[in-house]
Amino acid sequence: MGLLVQGQWQDQWYDTEVSKGEFVRQASAFRNWITVSGDAGPTGEGGFKAEKGRYHLYVSLACPWAHRTLIFRVLKGLEDYIGVTVVDPLMGEHGWVFQQEAAADENTYGYQYLHQLYSRVDPAITSRVTVPLLWDKQQQTIVSNESSEIIRMFNSAFNHLTGNTVDYYPEAQRAEIDAWNDAIYPAVNNGVYRAGFATTQQAYEQAYTQLFAMLDKLEQHLATHRYLVGAVISEADWRIFTTLVRFDAVYFGHFKTNQQRIADYPNLSAYVRDLYQQPGVAATVDMQHIKQHYYRSHGTINPTGIVPLGQEHDFMQPHDRALLSKRSSE
Ligand SMILES: N[C@@H](CCC(=O)N[C@@H](CS)C(=O)NCC(=O)O)C(=O)O
């Protein structure tokens, strides 16, 4: 784990001293958008027109933020349009490392480490080196390293090429989706990290309390709604899914978010199974990769690197939520 400082890699853990033991996630540095015309999107520069085979994703299968982009790539039928390189599950002193098999992959440019792609773009860069990373092969530069924006691009920028017009961020539901995202990001998506990476009791307890208050609220909401904004799946569901699917296997133990498991919430657990069982999604979940990464990469939290055996998680059990679709649309 580390970061680039003026183009040089420095191996260091998150500095929580400056924030009273709290883990504060830094804003992503690259915020350009792929668009239909190539004109600039809501942030960043223009010049990134949607084209088949031009863009490439670098992901870890362990990372919940990267996982969102993999799910949208599948749901939007973008497999033939956007390539993927998966990094090694372990994130050690050099940060994310390309797997041996990726050495032959032209998209790794002969590099060993993901940080080399960042410094290829700017040899004097100061930045964290994170996944997901969306790369433009034509200009050999980074489009974006912000998952919430990458999924929005995938949701709409390639529709005219793929013919897939399924919309996970429909105009009419945007305010509701945004409201869920704004509540879920700090308490749940980033909340598990705020609990796990806290270095004071107080910071941990605060994150823990907010997290379970939000999970209780979601449990209640999902008793009468099949999905967060009603009868159809939206972006808000996929954003929380990648955190929930890792929860019992990793966060509960490793990040000490152990008031209860997702399996102990009847509605939330059935909801996770419902999402997991959507076509193409199960293949994006690699529980071994996920467990190996967390338990073996965070030496400050789990110095022995032992990966707990735990239970098998069978997300293919029936979810019995189809009836709610009707009720939530009434
Ligand atoms: N805001 C970013 C966060 C991405 C992120 O933090 N990814 C983690 C892996 S789960 C990472 O690469 N961490 C390395 C680091 O922080 O140095 C997003 O949503 O894309």
Side-chain angles (χ1 to χ4, degrees):
M1 165 88 86
L3 75 170
L4 284 169
V5 179
Q6 294 181 340
Q8 299 302 310
W9 180 255
Q10 292 187 2
D11 178 25
Q12 62 181 59
W13 190 251
Y14 297 116
D15 178 8
T16 54
E17 291 230 331
V18 287
S19 50
K20 300 202 174 94
E22 245 189 88
F23 166 66
V24 181
R25 188 177 296 277
Q26 284 186 9
S28 305
F30 295 89
R31 309 295 283 268
N32 307 303
W33 291 68
I34 298 173
T35 57
V36 174
S37 61
D39 290 346
T43 52
E45 309 283 321
F48 302 99
K49 188 176 159 112
E51 285 173 57
K52 187 173 184 176
R54 176 169 165 183
Y55 301 98
H56 196 77
L57 257 184
Y58 299 86
V59 298
S60 157
L61 300 179
C63 171
W65 320 100
H67 191 183
R68 298 167 166 182
T69 66
L70 279 181
I71 290 175
F72 269 74
R73 176 174 172 268
V74 170
L75 296 175
K76 292 293 299 183
L78 291 168
E79 294 100 318
D80 293 339
Y81 290 77
I82 297 164
V84 174
T85 297
V86 176
V87 298
D88 194 85
L90 300 196
M91 186 185 61
E93 56 183 329
H94 300 288
W96 295 111
V97 177
F98 291 122
Q99 306 191 82
Q100 293 234 298
E101 313 86 80
D105 173 347
E106 58 170 19
N107 299 301
T108 57
Y109 300 93
Y111 294 149
Q112 266 180 293
Y113 311 121
L114 186 70
H115 70 69
Q116 293 172 287
L117 271 183
Y118 277 73
S119 49
R120 182 187 181 98
V121 170
D122 174 2
I125 192 172
T126 295
S127 174
R128 294 216 69 87
V129 173
T130 56
V131 286
L133 182 72
L134 182 60
W135 181 258
D136 176 5
K137 297 199 275 186
Q138 195 181 85
Q139 300 185 67
Q140 304 209 350
T141 193
I142 297 171
V143 182
S144 173
N145 64 347
E146 176 48 47
S147 65
S148 60
E149 294 169 358
I150 297 173
I151 62 176
R152 293 253 168 105
M153 300 172 210
F154 287 5
N155 183 53
S156 58
F158 294 83
N159 288 6
H160 62 295
L161 301 175
T162 62
N164 178 323
T165 54
V166 182
D167 189 1
Y168 294 96
Y169 191 52
E171 199 79 50
Q173 269 96 44
R174 285 192 182 173
E176 223 183 321
I177 294 171
D178 289 345
W180 278 117
N181 289 344
D182 290 349
I184 288 169
Y185 172 80
V188 182
N189 299 129
N190 201 36
V192 292
Y193 283 92
R194 287 173 50 232
F197 289 159
T199 55
T200 61
Q201 186 69 26
Q202 194 190 9
Y204 158 72
E205 286 185 15
Q206 199 176 22
Y208 177 104
T209 308
Q210 282 174 8
L211 166 66
F212 285 98
M214 190 65 204
L215 291 180
D216 290 346
K217 189 172 158 186
L218 288 162
E219 174 67 7
Q220 239 179 19
H221 180 77
L222 291 168
T224 50
H225 300 80
R226 182 165 177 186
Y227 303 114
L228 289 177
V229 297
V232 290
I233 303 181
S234 75
E235 175 197 279
D237 297 300
W238 294 121
R239 284 179 45 136
I240 193 172
F241 170 75
T242 63
T243 299
L244 296 181
V245 82
R246 286 160 174 71
F247 199 98
D248 294 355
V250 175
Y251 303 143
F252 182 91
H254 186 60
F255 281 173
K256 307 185 184 77
T257 56
N258 59 357
Q259 182 172 297
Q260 58 188 68
R261 302 169 307 162
I262 298 304
D264 302 319
Y265 289 100
N267 301 319
L268 265 173
S269 57
Y271 166 75
V272 175
R273 292 199 295 280
D274 187 355
L275 292 170
Y276 182 90
Q277 291 170 30
Q278 297 300 316
V281 173
T284 66
V285 181
D286 184 334
M287 219 32 105
Q288 283 319 313
H289 196 114
I290 291 170
K291 286 177 67 172
Q292 290 289 323
H293 164 71
Y294 281 96
Y295 286 106
R296 295 181 59 202
S297 302
H298 300 154
T300 50
I301 303 176
N302 188 29
T304 61
I306 288 172
V307 183
L309 292 174
Q311 304 157 345
E312 285 292 317
H313 298 269
D314 186 1
F315 296 106
M316 290 309 285
Q317 291 291 320
H319 56 75
D320 297 326
R321 290 183 61 79
L323 267 182
L324 278 174
S325 272
K326 213 170 148 281
R327 287 194 16 223
S328 358
S329 60
E330 279 163 7

